[in-house]
Amino acid sequence: QVQLVESGGGVVQPGGSLRLSCAPSGFSEFTFSRYGMHWVRQAPGKGLEWVAFIGYDGSKKYYADSVKGRFTISRDNSKNTLYLQMNSLRVEDTAVYYCAKELAMGYYCDYWGQGTLVTVSS
Amino acid sequence: EIVLTQSPGTLSLSPGERATLSCRASQSVSSNFLAWYQQKPGQAPRLLIYDTSSRATGIPDRFSGSGSGPDFTLTISRLEPEDFAVYYCQQYGSSLWTFGQGTKVEIK
């Protein structure tokens, strides 16, 4: 059983910053350092939007054009934790942010956290 | 960037009926790297199908995927009450991942 828990969401003003974290729960049965991880977001009432991917060792990082240059994905395998540093936040970044474990070389997301809500508002 | 267009936007069916959902890509999907996810209100998405036609762990065999190139299909052979949800297709190509806009399967 794989369980992921996101944290760090909240309300921030436009132009502000926030850092999200994602970690396997204490009951999770997978070796975090062996898998790539994704961030995917969902604006209220809207569909899914892929945000970023990081390889198992952090050497590969890819971003959606909508966040490139503003968001940074990283991981600390010694702490079994995934991060998303979000800078220069915009109103349109308001969404539930999910972390997800990769399947099949990163092409898909097979286990997802329950998400953390980020609201960008003045 | 490959754009995925799902149709129909909403599918109204009764339990026991067959559901056919379509996902069309703006260009050919490399190596058929296409997946389907199910999402219920207030829940995270769940992976159903990957590599076009492979069922994810624990997914019942009433769910099946098919297709190639730009056209892909998710079929639910006989709808169960728990299958009424929103379904998304997703593709990978050139270090970018994209989702379709979703199809809602609702009870008629």
Side-chain angles (χ1 to χ4, degrees):
Chain A
Q1 180 74 353
V2 175
Q3 296 181 356
L4 298 166
V5 180
E6 301 94 339
S7 60
V11 181
V12 61
Q13 292 188 337
S17 298
L18 211 56
R19 188 178 80 158
L20 306 182
S21 300
C22 167
S25 75
F27 303 101
S28 192
E29 299 175 355
F30 85 106
T31 304
F32 179 79
S33 60
R34 292 179 59 185
Y35 295 93
M37 298 292 292
H38 292 268
W39 286 100
V40 177
R41 68 185 181 183
Q42 187 169 35
K46 303 298 183 182
L48 301 172
E49 180 187 15
W50 171 76
V51 173
F53 170 79
I54 186 168
Y56 73 97
D57 61 357
S59 62
K60 295 182 180 179
K61 301 179 184 181
Y62 304 109
Y63 299 91
D65 288 344
S66 59
V67 306
K68 200 175 294 183
R70 300 187 299 122
F71 289 12
T72 301
I73 190 171
S74 63
R75 65 191 299 159
D76 186 338
N77 285 343
S78 68
K79 296 181 178 179
N80 283 350
T81 303
L82 171 74
Y83 302 101
L84 185 68
Q85 177 66 44
M86 304 185 295
N87 298 331
S88 303
L89 281 162
R90 305 167 179 167
V91 171
E92 55 265 34
D93 294 320
T94 295
V96 173
Y97 284 74
Y98 296 100
C99 65
K101 170 187 162 295
E102 70 156 357
L103 172 70
M105 305 291 288
Y107 303 139
Y108 314 109
C109 305
D110 62 349
Y111 290 98
W112 300 60
Q114 282 305 301
T116 186
L117 177 62
V118 172
T119 302
V120 185
S121 173
S122 55
Chain B
E1 176 183 318
I2 295 178
V3 176
L4 299 178
T5 301
Q6 293 187 238
S7 60
T10 302
L11 199 51
S12 299
L13 296 168
S14 301
E17 289 193 293
R18 181 185 187 91
T20 302
L21 287 66
S22 174
C23 176
R24 171 165 288 184
S26 58
Q27 54 188 281
S28 186
V29 175
S30 59
S31 302
N32 289 337
F33 289 141
L34 188 112
W36 292 92
Y37 300 82
Q38 175 194 69
Q39 187 179 34
K40 298 178 181 179
Q43 295 185 16
R46 178 174 71 145
L47 178 66
L48 300 175
I49 301 287
Y50 65 97
D51 285 350
T52 299
S53 60
S54 297
R55 273 187 297 277
T57 303
I59 301 304
D61 59 9
R62 64 180 181 273
F63 291 92
S64 63
S66 63
S68 65
D71 291 312
F72 298 87
T73 301
L74 174 70
T75 302
I76 311 171
S77 59
R78 288 177 57 86
L79 282 164
E80 297 287 341
E82 62 268 27
D83 298 336
F84 292 92
V86 179
Y87 293 83
Y88 295 94
C89 57
Q90 171 252 312
Q91 71 83 38
Y92 165 83
S94 302
S95 304
L96 290 175
W97 290 255
T98 54
F99 288 90
Q101 83 280 15
T103 289
K104 182 179 182 180
V105 179
E106 65 176 22
I107 299 177
K108 186 174 182 180

